Amino acid sequence: MKPRAAGFLLVIASVMAVALPAHAEDVVETQLTLTNHTFAPQELAVPADKKIKLTVVNKDASTAEFESDDLGREKVVPANGQIYVYIGPLDPGTYGYYDDFHRETTTGKIIAK
């Protein structure tokens, strides 16, 4: 291989290494559970500055919704089903969420520290 071609390939390989997506170990996985139209836990602590994979499990026989104005997320959770919501990285702070179908009673907070 010519030195110039080898140098070009090295540059391309370097750019691709930087552009690769985050590794799975860079994502923090956590879970919320809906039972009797109540989120558990109602206050979910997560690390700040990390990408979060949030699993929302609905154990109720009716459809629910995970919605957060603070996080800009809205996703229907089927009855007896689950969804995944990716959020973050978050700045330190408190982010509210709720079930839009039962907004008055089904609320919670994600606290990023």
Side-chain angles (χ1 to χ4, degrees):
M1 179 178 291
K2 294 182 180 181
R4 189 172 184 171
F8 178 74
L9 289 175
L10 181 60
V11 169
I12 296 297
S14 297
V15 169
M16 289 178 66
V18 171
L20 291 175
H23 294 87
E25 62 267 10
D26 293 339
V27 176
V28 175
E29 295 189 32
T30 191
Q31 181 174 306
L32 287 173
T33 302
L34 266 164
T35 307
N36 297 321
H37 304 297
T38 302
F39 282 110
Q42 287 186 312
E43 290 190 4
L44 179 64
V46 299
D49 302 320
K50 294 280 187 180
K51 189 157 182 81
I52 308 294
K53 178 183 178 184
L54 176 63
T55 302
V56 182
V57 178
N58 183 4
K59 293 188 175 184
D60 290 337
S62 61
T63 301
E65 185 173 58
F66 175 84
E67 185 163 348
S68 174
D69 300 327
D70 297 337
L71 298 169
R73 298 292 187 274
E74 179 179 6
K75 209 161 183 185
V76 172
V77 189
N80 298 305
Q82 68 182 25
I83 59 160
Y84 304 101
V85 180
Y86 288 89
I87 56 176
L90 299 174
D91 291 330
T94 301
Y95 302 84
Y97 60 86
Y98 53 93
D99 171 4
D100 201 23
F101 301 140
H102 304 94
R103 190 173 188 159
E104 299 79 31
T105 58
T106 310
T107 61
K109 298 176 187 174
I110 294 174
I111 302 168
K113 296 181 181 182

